[in-house]
Amino acid sequence: MTTCDRSRGFTLLELIVVLAVLALIAGTAVPLAGAVVVAEKRDKATQDLEQLAAALDAYYFDNAAFPASLTASDFFGVYFQPGVGNGAVVDPFTVNVNYVYAVDTAANFASVHSRGENGTDEGAANEELSVFVYAAIPGGRHTWMRLRIAVEVLANFIESGGNVNGSWTGVCSRMGLDPSYRTDGFGTTFDWDDSSYALRSAGPDKTLNTADDIEI
């Protein structure tokens, strides 16, 4: 007896089952792929914002002010490195649009935020991906640094019989201190009381005789 082995094709039912399985896989894969893309954008935004916050802190420490913009020539590429294609300031949830940057001169802080997954700017206080840099922190550090050095030079100057009467600007000149030591970390001239030998900063609010004064 002779038998013939021939390939058997798919039945209509089997074809329907295969298509249904493929559709199920595709339906699952698309949302997962989208979730991965969103996660990558969130990671990038988080890293960028952390680096921007550190750069803004360093900028304020040196300049007693925040930069005019994230792409200002004295900030971008100096305190903050642009990255490939200057992408480090571009919000990954937009198309070639930078992160939102703002400076509150009254409260003396800077904020940077991403528009997030919906691509809508809802303000730094309402966006999850946002950072705030308060001038009181870098400004305070710089003020204490200058105060410590100034007081050390002042003590030696007084011990040697130097004249410390008058304004702090005049005393600085007579002591030979660099002009930068005339002001605190917030850009305000130190207050010097030649009767009590008290040297103080007006603090973040730049107003003397308030709670945030820094005295040594």
Side-chain angles (χ1 to χ4, degrees):
M1 181 180 293
T2 302
T3 60
C4 180
D5 184 16
R6 58 196 180 103
S7 299
R8 188 172 67 88
F10 287 108
T11 66
L12 179 60
L13 179 60
E14 288 171 332
L15 187 59
I16 292 173
V17 170
V18 170
L19 290 176
V21 171
L22 290 175
L24 180 62
I25 293 173
T28 304
V30 171
L32 285 176
V36 170
V37 171
V38 170
E40 290 176 346
K41 290 181 178 181
R42 288 177 63 85
D43 287 344
K44 183 183 184 304
T46 299
Q47 293 174 14
D48 288 346
L49 292 174
E50 288 175 352
Q51 293 171 10
L52 280 166
L56 289 169
D57 180 286
Y59 184 95
Y60 195 97
F61 182 90
D62 289 343
N63 301 280
F66 291 111
S69 69
L70 296 181
T71 55
S73 60
D74 61 344
F75 177 75
F76 192 65
V78 180
Y79 289 86
F80 185 73
Q81 299 310 310
V84 178
N86 296 341
V89 293
V90 176
D91 188 342
F93 290 98
T94 65
V95 179
N96 296 325
V97 179
N98 291 347
Y99 292 109
V100 182
Y101 169 68
V103 176
D104 187 324
T105 54
N108 211 6
F109 71 84
S111 64
V112 189
H113 67 272
S114 165
R115 294 164 184 78
E117 295 177 38
N118 63 9
T120 302
D121 181 6
E122 298 176 353
N126 299 313
E127 292 287 359
E128 179 185 357
L129 298 169
S130 61
V131 290
F132 297 85
V133 180
Y134 294 89
I137 298 174
R141 289 201 316 270
H142 207 168
T143 296
W144 279 111
M145 184 196 78
R146 286 181 173 174
L147 279 172
R148 285 194 296 269
I149 295 173
V151 167
E152 183 177 343
V153 174
L154 185 62
N156 292 331
F157 188 67
I158 293 173
E159 188 176 349
S160 64
N163 177 13
V164 292
N165 294 326
S167 69
W168 179 244
T169 299
V171 173
C172 268
S173 296
R174 291 194 291 274
M175 291 192 302
L177 264 179
D178 186 90
S180 63
Y181 287 90
R182 297 175 184 176
T183 57
D184 60 16
F186 306 99
T188 306
T189 302
F190 281 115
D191 179 70
W192 168 244
D193 187 333
D194 57 12
S195 61
S196 63
Y197 287 8
L199 182 63
R200 61 177 176 163
S201 158
D205 68 359
K206 304 182 180 182
T207 304
L208 284 169
N209 301 315
T210 55
D212 66 352
D213 288 1
I214 302 172
E215 184 174 338
I216 194 169

